[in-house]
Amino acid sequence: MMIRKTAKTGPATRSLTEREAAALTVRIRKAVDNVWALLLEAQEREAWKALRYATWEAYVKAEFAMSRRNSYRLLDLGRVVREIEDFVPHAAQITQRDAAAIKDDLPAVKAEIVARVDKGAEPAKAATDVIAEKRAAKDKAKAEHERQRDKSRAALPNAVKQHVTARDAAVAKAKADGSNVETVDRVAELEELVRGLEADNASLKAANAKFADMWVQYQQGGFEVVIAGKDEEIRTLNARLIQESEDKAGWMKRAKGWQKRATDLGWSGDVVIPLDPRSSDDEVISLG
C-alpha cells in the first residue's frame, strides 16, 4: 500500500462533537487516498467516544469492518508521515512497512534526515535513504531475533515443543482459511509473553532464595538484625575453622606418636622385597 503525503497536517486537540464525528466517519468510508490522515484525526479527536462506542476497536470494526491491527498500522503510518512532513516538506512515498520500521525511532530518523538535507541532500532522497537504512537494520534485527528464538525453541522440553508446533499450525490454518488471524496471533503473542514472564519469575525466585533469610531478619528488626545475623555466621565459621585446625593438629601429633612407638619396637618404614628366594641379597626400598 503506497500513500503519498498531499497536505500538511498536525495533531488535533479538540474532541469532535457527535455531528462532526458522524461526518468524519462518512468521509473515511468514502476516502480513496490518504485514509490514514482522516483515521488519525478520528482517533486523536475521539470520534469513537462522540458516537458512543465503548472502544476504538469497536468503532473501526463497526464503521469500517476494519481490524484493530489494521487500524493501528494506518495510525502509525499517519503519525510517521505527519512527523516527517514537518521537517521534509517534499517527503517521498512511505509504506506501512516503512512506518513500522521507523515509528519507534522517529526523533533519530527526523534528526538524520534534517542533517542530510543541511548537507545538501535533496529532501525526498534523504527521507528515502534514511528510511531504507532503518528498515534494513530492523529486518536484520528481526532475522537475528528469529534465529535466537529458533535456537531457544530447540532447547525446550518436548512437551513445550509440541505446544509451539500446534500453535504455529493453528496460525497457519487460520491464515489459509481466512479466519480471524489477528486473534490467533494475539493469543500466540500473549502465550509467548507469559512464557517469558514465567522464565523471569523463576530467575527472580532463584535470586530471592539467596536472600530469604536476610529478608526475614530485616522484617524482625531492620538492618541491625541482618548485620547481627551475618556477624553470627562469621563467628560460627571462624569457630569451626579453629576447631577443625585443632583437630588436624591433634591427629598429626598422635600419628607421629604412633610412628615413634613403632620405631622403638623395631619397626621401620622400609619394605624388603626378596628378589630371589634362594638368595639372601634382598633389595631394601626405603619408604621414609
Side-chain angles (χ1 to χ4, degrees):
M1 178 179 182
M2 302 293 289
I3 306 293
R4 182 178 294 276
K5 174 187 69 62
T6 56
K8 195 172 182 64
T9 60
T13 56
R14 182 180 63 83
S15 296
L16 294 169
T17 64
E18 183 175 357
R19 178 176 294 182
E20 290 171 336
L24 178 57
T25 300
V26 171
R27 290 173 60 199
I28 294 173
R29 288 202 205 100
K30 294 181 178 180
V32 177
D33 197 8
N34 292 345
V35 178
W36 59 265
L38 297 174
L39 201 65
L40 186 59
E41 181 181 356
Q43 201 267 347
E44 291 182 338
R45 300 185 67 184
E46 300 181 327
W48 54 279
K49 285 186 178 180
L51 295 178
R52 298 180 176 81
Y53 284 97
T55 63
W56 168 259
E57 182 177 359
Y59 167 70
V60 296
K61 183 176 182 180
E63 297 289 348
F64 316 120
M66 184 183 297
S67 69
R68 172 181 174 275
R69 171 174 291 188
N70 285 339
S71 74
Y72 277 104
R73 284 174 176 170
L74 287 172
L75 292 174
D76 287 339
L77 178 61
R79 294 187 184 98
V80 167
V81 172
R82 185 174 66 193
E83 289 298 323
I84 289 180
E85 72 178 354
D86 289 339
F87 291 83
V88 187
H90 304 291
Q93 287 181 326
I94 300 175
T95 66
Q96 288 189 20
R97 187 182 174 195
D98 294 333
I102 67 175
K103 66 177 183 177
D104 296 327
D105 200 21
L106 271 178
V109 171
K110 290 188 292 186
E112 180 61 25
I113 292 174
V114 171
R116 295 189 186 190
V117 171
D118 288 344
K119 292 180 180 178
E122 195 274 324
K125 185 176 186 309
T128 301
D129 290 347
V130 172
I131 291 172
E133 291 167 9
K134 291 291 183 181
R135 193 172 73 182
K138 187 164 186 177
D139 289 343
K140 182 179 179 181
K142 181 181 178 182
E144 175 60 19
H145 171 75
E146 291 176 348
R147 187 188 71 80
Q148 293 288 348
R149 181 196 62 193
D150 292 341
K151 182 179 179 181
S152 298
R153 284 183 177 180
L156 292 173
N158 289 332
V160 178
K161 287 182 182 178
Q162 292 172 3
H163 172 76
V164 172
T165 301
R167 183 201 67 194
D168 292 344
V171 172
K173 184 176 184 300
K175 290 180 179 179
D177 296 343
S179 304
N180 191 349
V181 180
E182 181 180 357
T183 300
V184 177
D185 283 346
R186 181 58 177 164
V187 171
E189 178 184 344
L190 291 174
E191 288 177 342
E192 192 78 22
L193 179 61
V194 168
R195 281 194 293 274
L197 291 173
E198 287 176 344
D200 291 342
N201 188 41
S203 298
L204 288 173
K205 283 184 177 180
N208 288 338
K210 299 178 181 178
F211 306 102
D213 293 339
M214 293 176 60
W215 174 242
V216 172
Q217 292 172 340
Y218 177 78
Q219 289 179 314
Q220 292 174 345
F223 287 113
E224 291 79 4
V225 175
V226 174
I227 294 172
K230 288 300 174 185
D231 288 342
E232 179 62 22
E233 288 183 23
I234 294 172
R235 188 197 65 76
T236 301
L237 290 174
N238 282 333
R240 179 180 173 183
L241 176 62
I242 293 171
Q243 183 61 50
E244 290 182 356
S245 298
E246 291 177 349
D247 290 343
K248 289 180 181 179
W251 297 336
M252 180 63 69
K253 184 177 180 180
R254 286 193 293 272
K256 289 183 177 180
W258 281 109
Q259 183 182 31
K260 183 178 183 303
R261 183 176 177 185
T263 302
D264 293 342
L265 293 174
W267 299 91
S268 71
D270 297 337
V271 176
V272 178
I273 302 177
L275 299 178
D276 186 347
R278 297 168 297 176
S279 173
S280 61
D281 297 329
D282 297 331
E283 182 177 357
V284 178
I285 301 177
S286 177
L287 298 180

